[in-house]
C-alpha cells in the first residue's frame, strides 16, 4: 500500500494569503497519478487537480499542483473565503489511497 | 452531465449485510466507456477507497475489504450496487458513489471527477 502523508495537519491563514500543502508518498507514484480534492463540511469532495498538475474542469487558476515521484504540492495562490476547507491528496497508480487531509482554517 | 445518487438503508445491526445502490443519470452504466467506484468516509475522518468496476465487469477491491465486498451493475435500472457483508461499527460511514472523467480509459484505478451526495450508514446494535 502506498501511504500518503499530508502536512501540515492544519494551516491557519488569512484571506488573500498563499497556501502551500504537502503530500508525501511512501513509494514513487507512477505517471504522477496523483489528485487533490477539496471538501467543505457536509459536502462530497470536489476534484481540483489530477495527474499532479492538471486542473479539473471549472477549477479556478489560483489552484495549482506540482511535484513528481514521492513529493507533491498543492498551492492556492490567494485564498478566497470559500477556500477554507479540508484538502486531500490521492494516488491512483496502484490501489487508490488518500492522505489524511490538511485543514485550511481562517486565522 | 453525469449525475450519481446513492440510496439504501441508513441503519444496520452488526453482522448484517450493507446493500447500497447508486442510480446513474446522464450516462449508461453498461457502457464500456464508463468506470465506477465506491468511496467511504467515517464521521469526522478521512476517505477510504472501497473498490471499482470497469469494462463491463472487471472489479478491483481494497485488500482490507476484499473478502466482504462485492460491486456489481444492474443495466436494466442503470444502477451500480455495493454489498458489504458482516458489518461492524467500523463500517459506519458516509458512502459515496464515484466515477472518473468521461475521457478516462487507462485503468480501473482512477481519480474521482463525479461524486454522489453520499449516504450515511450507521452500524449499531
Amino acid at each position: 500500500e502506498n501511504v500518503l502523508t499530508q502536512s501540515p495537519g492544519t494551516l491557519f491563514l488569512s484571506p488573500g494569503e498563499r497556501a502551500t500543502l504537502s503530500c508525501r508518498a511512501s513509494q514513487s507514484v507512477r505517471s504522477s497519478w496523483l489528485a487533490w480534492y477539496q471538501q467543505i463540511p457536509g459536502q462530497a469532495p470536489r476534484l481540483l487537480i489530477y495527474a499532479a498538475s492538471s486542473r479539473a474542469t471549472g477549477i479556478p487558476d489560483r489552484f495549482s499542483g506540482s511535484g513528481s515521484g514521492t513529493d507533491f504540492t498543492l498551492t492556492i495562490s490567494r485564498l478566497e473565503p470559500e477556500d477554507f476547507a479540508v484538502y486531500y491528496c490521492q494516488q491512483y497508480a496502484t490501489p487508490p489511497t488518500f492522505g489524511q487531509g490538511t485543514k485550511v482554517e481562517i486565522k | 452531465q453525469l449525475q450519481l445518487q446513492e440510496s439504501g438503508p441508513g441503519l444496520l445491526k452488526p453482522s448484517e449485510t450493507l446493500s447500497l445502490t447508486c442510480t446513474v443519470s446522464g450516462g449508461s452504466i453498461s457502457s464500456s466507456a464508463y468506470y465506477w467506484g465506491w468511496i467511504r468516509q467515517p464521521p469526522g475522518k478521512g476517505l477510504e477507497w472501497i473498490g471499482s468496476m470497469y469494462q463491463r465487469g472487471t472489479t478491483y477491491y481494497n485488500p482490507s475489504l476484499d473478502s466482504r465486498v462485492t460491486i456489481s451493475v444492474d443495466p436494466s435500472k442503470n444502477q451500480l450496487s455495493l454489498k458489504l457483508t458482516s458489518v461492524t461499527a467500523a463500517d459506519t460511514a458516509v458512502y459515496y458513489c464515484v466515477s472518473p472523467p468521461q475521457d478516462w480509459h487507462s485503468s480501473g484505478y482512477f481519480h474521482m471527477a463525479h461524486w454522489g451526495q453520499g449516504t450515511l450508514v450507521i452500524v449499531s446494535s
Side-chain angles (χ1 to χ4, degrees), chain B residues 8-118:
Chain B
L11 182 62
L12 291 172
K13 289 182 167 51
S15 81
E16 291 185 334
T17 295
L18 180 158
S19 294
L20 298 177
T21 59
C22 171
T23 301
V24 177
S25 56
S28 170
I29 194 82
S30 56
S31 168
S32 61
Y34 289 110
Y35 296 65
W36 312 103
W38 290 93
I39 301 291
R40 70 180 183 179
Q41 184 173 36
K45 296 188 178 180
L47 301 162
E48 180 181 33
W49 175 73
I50 297 172
S52 60
M53 166 177 277
Y54 75 112
Q55 291 187 353
R56 297 178 181 148
T58 302
T59 51
Y60 290 128
Y61 298 131
N62 187 322
S64 70
L65 301 170
D66 195 342
S67 62
R68 299 195 291 132
V69 66
T70 303
I71 295 174
S72 60
V73 297
D74 183 342
S76 67
K77 297 180 180 177
N78 221 36
Q79 287 180 338
L80 178 74
S81 73
L82 170 70
K83 290 192 188 302
L84 184 67
T85 62
S86 304
V87 297
T88 69
D91 296 310
T92 293
V94 175
Y95 287 75
Y96 294 101
C97 176
V98 295
S99 184
Q102 290 176 245
D103 60 354
W104 175 260
H105 297 295
S106 297
S107 164
Y109 306 139
F110 50 79
H111 52 298
M112 293 88 185
H114 306 282
W115 295 71
Q117 86 285 357

